[in-house]
């Protein structure tokens, strides 16, 4: 099937080249009347050759410059890369910035992903010079690579600066630059005046791949091309479906007994999973609070065992290795990068304590009741309180517009408050059941839209398999997107 697709695209590209040579041969006519006609003809002839695949065919490969600056983005980007390789009728070559999972898909990162993994406002200031240098290096690398498409994944601060400066450089060089995709829409819906800022993105972002159902319509209403492709979290279920024995379609059943046995967890122990974040700044802040919380909690639960999920970030790994030696209760470290191990650990847990919000969806997939916590520098917290127009940070609460999951934010995020919330959650079956009952509703809102997937399949009969996952839908849009 792929070889026929290749020759079909190749034939169109050859025709385009012939027409372009013909146009160039007669472009020197002096009559303005003829010139106007030729411009119009050229524009119409190029309509069928505006996709990334069409443009790449003459080079015999698709060059994708892809950048992610966060651990969560590394997961999303790696799945996208795998889907691009699966869907493309041409070989794909990658360049850019990413982490260990993207490396497994063929990316040699320009520099470690941790170099640009910074969040917050005040927290950003000490890293500005380094970030500027990394941005410059990334721009130069992209220009040398000559990509057919540039894809940035999340990390909007670095991503948007990169796309904007790249667009300027290509314009200065009078070159037809690559298509610009951004995967994961900025959380404009969370901020006062956020929607108005979308219009400015149209200057350097060609299309946004949205992961929340309400984002596509708002982006399009503000002139920004966008498609809701589904939330990447649902791919956890798709990847682990071969071992999922749960009668609930959208629950991931981990091997809890195997995990307990391998880690010598006593039968009567209360196991609490801790997810302190993926960036060093947030982990150093949150893990201190989590440690003090466990110190209080052990008074009510003598056989308390904590499972600390460690992000695939070398700075985070090093920090947690140093901290855990002084941990007040037995602690088991679960390294990042393995979905199997993560869900085995979650399945063995009674409850969990998480930093920030999206990870709460993982807890719902595992049906582990959780508490969400968040602290930042006081200036960052002041800015959030002043600019935010939503009162929740966890995605299930945002989607359901209800406090399904307890949240302790900013000054309320203390070890005493967290210990109280966790104690209530462990002892109250009704609170646990409320979270579990809401899980399927939340997950269904995050699934890739069937209508969009069916339309894509009908538009491109060259595909020999259906588009079923968010990353597959995103990859299809990237490869066959028509640049205006």
């Amino acid at each position: 099937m792929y070889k026929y697709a290749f020759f079909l695209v190749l034939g169109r590209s050859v025709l385009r080249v012939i027409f372009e040579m013909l146009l160039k041969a007669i472009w020197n006519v002096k009559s303005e009347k003829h010139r106007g006609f030729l411009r119009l003809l050229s524009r119409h002839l190029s309509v069928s050759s505006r996709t990334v695949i069409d443009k790449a065919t003459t080079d015999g490969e698709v060059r994708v410059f892809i950048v992610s600056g966060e651990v969560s983005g590394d997961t999303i980007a790696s799945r996208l890369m795998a889907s691009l390789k699966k869907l493309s009728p041409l070989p794909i070559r990658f360049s850019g910035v990413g982490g260990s999972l993207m490396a497994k898909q063929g990316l040699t990162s320009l520099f470690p992903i941790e170099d640009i993994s910074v969040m917050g406002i005040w927290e950003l200031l000490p890293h500005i010079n380094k970030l500027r240098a990394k941005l410059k290096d990334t721009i130069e690398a992209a220009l040398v690579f000559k990509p057919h498409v540039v894809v940035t994944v999340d990390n909007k601060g670095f991503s948007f600066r990169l796309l904007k400066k790249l667009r300027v450089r290509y314009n200065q060089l009078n070159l037809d630059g690559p298509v610009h995709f951004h995967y994961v829409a900025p959380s404009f819906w969370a901020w006062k005046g956020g929607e108005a800022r979308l219009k400015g993105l149209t200057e350097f972002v060609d299309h946004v791949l949205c992961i929340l159902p309400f984002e596509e319509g708002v982006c399009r209403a503000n002139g920004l091309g966008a498609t809701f492709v589904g939330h990447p979290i649902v791919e956890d279920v798709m990847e682990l479906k071969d071992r999922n024995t749960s009668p609930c379609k959208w629950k991931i059943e981990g091997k809890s007994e195997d995990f307990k046995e391998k880690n010598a967890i006593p039968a009567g122990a209360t196991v609490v999973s801790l997810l302190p974040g993926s960036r060093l700044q947030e982990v150093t802040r949150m893990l201190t609070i989590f440690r003090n919380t466990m110190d209080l909690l052990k008074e009510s639960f003598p056989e308390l065992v904590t499972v600390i999920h460690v992000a695939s970030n070398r700075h985070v790994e090093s920090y947690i290795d140093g901290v855990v030696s002084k941990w007040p209760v037995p602690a088991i470290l679960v390294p990042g990068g393995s979905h199997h191990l993560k869900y085995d650990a979650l399945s063995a847990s009674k409850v969990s304590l998480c930093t920030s919000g999206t990870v709460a969806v993982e807890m719902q997939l595992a049906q582990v009741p959780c508490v969400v916590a968040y602290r930042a520098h006081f200036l960052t917290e002041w800015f959030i309180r002043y600019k935010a127009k939503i009162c929740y940070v966890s995605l299930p609460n945002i989607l359901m517009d209800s406090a399904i999951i307890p949240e302790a934010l900013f000054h309320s995020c203390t070890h005493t408050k967290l210990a109280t919330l966790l104690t209530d959650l462990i002892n109250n079956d009704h609170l646990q059941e409320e979270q579990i009952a809401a899980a399927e509703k939340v997950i269904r809102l995050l699934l890739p839209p069937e209508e969009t997937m069916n339309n894509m399949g009908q538009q491109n009969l060259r595909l020999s398999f259906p588009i079923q996952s968010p990353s597959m839908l995103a990859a299809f849009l990237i490869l066959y997107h028509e640049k205006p």
Side-chain angles (χ1 to χ4, degrees):
M1 180 68 74
Y2 285 159
K3 67 178 180 180
Y4 298 120
F6 172 78
F7 285 117
L8 179 61
V9 176
L10 181 61
R12 284 162 47 185
S13 299
V14 169
L15 286 174
R16 187 189 77 239
V17 171
I18 292 173
F19 276 121
E20 286 178 351
M21 291 174 64
L22 177 63
L23 289 173
K24 289 178 181 178
I26 60 177
W27 190 261
N28 291 328
V29 295
K30 296 181 180 179
S31 168
E32 188 61 36
K33 177 181 177 181
H34 288 127
R35 288 188 182 183
F37 169 76
L38 290 175
R39 288 193 188 100
L40 181 63
L41 179 61
S42 176
R43 187 159 56 245
H44 281 286
L45 289 174
S46 66
V47 166
S48 64
S49 60
R50 292 182 298 185
T51 69
V52 168
I53 284 294
D54 289 329
K55 193 172 181 181
T57 300
T58 54
D59 294 329
E61 65 176 3
V62 182
R63 292 189 296 273
V64 179
F65 195 83
I66 186 165
V67 175
S68 173
E70 300 172 344
V71 171
S72 59
D74 183 43
T75 302
I76 296 170
S78 67
R79 285 169 169 163
L80 175 63
M81 291 166 71
S83 294
L84 284 168
K85 290 190 289 186
K86 188 174 183 180
L87 286 179
S88 176
L90 298 170
I92 290 194
R93 189 153 56 95
F94 297 105
S95 182
V97 181
S100 58
L101 296 178
M102 293 169 71
K104 292 178 182 178
Q105 294 299 329
L107 177 72
T108 300
S109 185
L110 300 174
F111 46 80
I113 192 174
E114 294 88 353
D115 288 358
I116 56 173
S117 181
V118 183
M119 73 173 296
I121 300 169
W122 180 262
E123 295 91 336
L124 184 68
L125 293 180
H127 304 277
I128 284 180
N129 288 334
K130 182 176 74 172
L131 289 170
R132 283 175 177 167
K134 296 302 180 186
L135 179 61
K136 183 180 178 182
D137 292 344
T138 307
I139 292 168
E140 296 304 321
L143 292 171
V144 170
F145 186 63
K146 296 181 180 178
H148 300 105
V149 59
V150 177
V151 183
T152 52
V153 183
D154 214 354
N155 197 10
K156 65 175 182 175
F158 189 89
S159 294
F160 289 162
R161 285 174 176 82
L162 171 64
L163 296 179
K164 188 173 184 178
K165 288 182 178 294
L166 267 179
R167 186 58 53 89
V168 169
R169 289 290 294 275
Y170 274 100
N171 289 340
Q172 289 173 343
L173 296 170
N174 199 27
L175 295 173
D176 182 21
V179 185
H180 287 181
F181 275 84
H182 184 69
Y183 197 171
V184 183
S187 53
F188 57 84
W189 38 267
W191 307 99
K192 297 171 185 174
E195 205 174 305
R197 299 181 65 183
L198 289 175
K199 294 178 181 178
L201 301 184
T202 59
E203 298 176 6
F204 52 88
V205 178
D206 296 308
H207 207 85
V208 175
L209 301 168
C210 304
I211 67 171
L212 298 180
F214 53 82
E215 293 173 330
E216 177 183 334
V218 180
C219 287
R220 289 180 179 272
N222 286 274
L224 184 62
T227 305
F228 169 52
V229 298
H231 198 287
I233 200 71
V234 301
E235 295 200 40
D236 283 3
V237 182
M238 297 173 183
E239 288 182 5
L240 300 174
K241 63 182 178 181
D242 59 323
R243 72 203 299 257
N244 189 10
T245 59
S246 171
C248 176
K249 182 179 180 181
W250 297 109
K251 177 185 176 182
I252 297 178
E253 194 76 58
K255 297 179 179 179
S256 59
E257 294 306 317
D258 285 356
F259 183 83
K260 289 179 179 179
E261 183 178 344
K262 288 177 183 177
N263 292 281
I265 298 175
T270 301
V271 183
V272 178
S273 266
L274 303 179
L275 296 95
S278 61
R279 307 174 186 90
L280 182 61
Q281 295 95 334
E282 64 185 2
V283 171
T284 53
R285 180 176 288 109
M286 298 308 300
L287 206 56
T288 301
I289 299 172
F290 287 4
R291 181 185 59 203
N292 294 336
T293 302
M294 294 304 107
D295 205 12
L296 278 181
L297 208 62
K298 70 181 182 182
E299 297 175 7
S300 302
F301 305 96
E303 290 190 279
L304 182 64
V305 175
T306 54
V307 176
I308 305 175
H309 296 252
V310 185
S312 299
N313 178 316
R314 57 191 174 92
H315 300 311
V316 169
E317 292 167 355
S318 177
Y319 175 78
I320 292 179
D321 282 341
V323 167
V324 77
S325 61
K326 301 176 182 177
W327 206 249
V329 297
I332 300 164
L333 301 186
V334 175
S338 171
H339 294 298
H340 292 78
L341 186 55
K342 174 174 66 178
Y343 283 101
D344 287 347
L346 290 176
S347 183
S349 303
K350 180 72 172 177
V351 297
S352 65
L353 177 58
C354 316
T355 295
S356 194
T358 305
V359 70
V361 183
E362 291 182 340
M363 302 306 106
Q364 294 202 307
L365 282 176
Q367 294 200 359
V368 178
C370 70
V371 172
V372 168
Y374 185 74
R375 284 302 307 262
H377 189 278
F378 78 92
L379 289 178
T380 301
E381 291 184 0
W382 174 84
F383 178 82
I384 292 173
R385 283 196 296 267
Y386 176 72
K387 291 290 290 182
K389 65 177 184 181
I390 58 173
C391 53
Y392 305 116
V393 298
S394 57
L395 189 53
N397 289 354
I398 293 169
L399 289 173
M400 302 300 290
D401 194 24
S402 176
I404 299 164
I405 295 171
E407 295 182 351
L409 312 177
F410 309 139
H411 291 301
S412 296
C413 181
T414 63
H415 60 281
T416 52
K417 174 72 172 179
L418 292 176
T420 299
L421 290 174
L422 286 169
T423 300
D424 291 344
L425 191 58
I426 292 170
N427 292 329
N428 192 323
D429 292 340
H430 177 68
L431 292 177
Q432 298 174 27
E433 290 166 2
E434 277 188 337
Q435 290 195 33
I436 293 170
E440 189 167 350
K441 295 178 183 177
V442 170
I443 299 302
R444 290 195 177 280
L445 288 173
L446 301 176
L447 294 176
E450 289 188 14
E451 183 179 354
T452 303
M453 291 189 291
N454 291 337
N455 289 340
M456 293 300 172
Q458 291 171 6
Q459 289 173 22
N460 197 314
L461 299 178
R462 290 172 278 179
L463 299 179
S464 58
F465 42 79
I467 299 172
Q468 295 180 319
S469 68
S471 64
M472 288 280 282
L473 181 52
F476 180 92
L477 289 165
I478 289 170
L479 293 173
Y480 295 101
H481 174 267
E482 291 192 355
K483 184 177 179 181

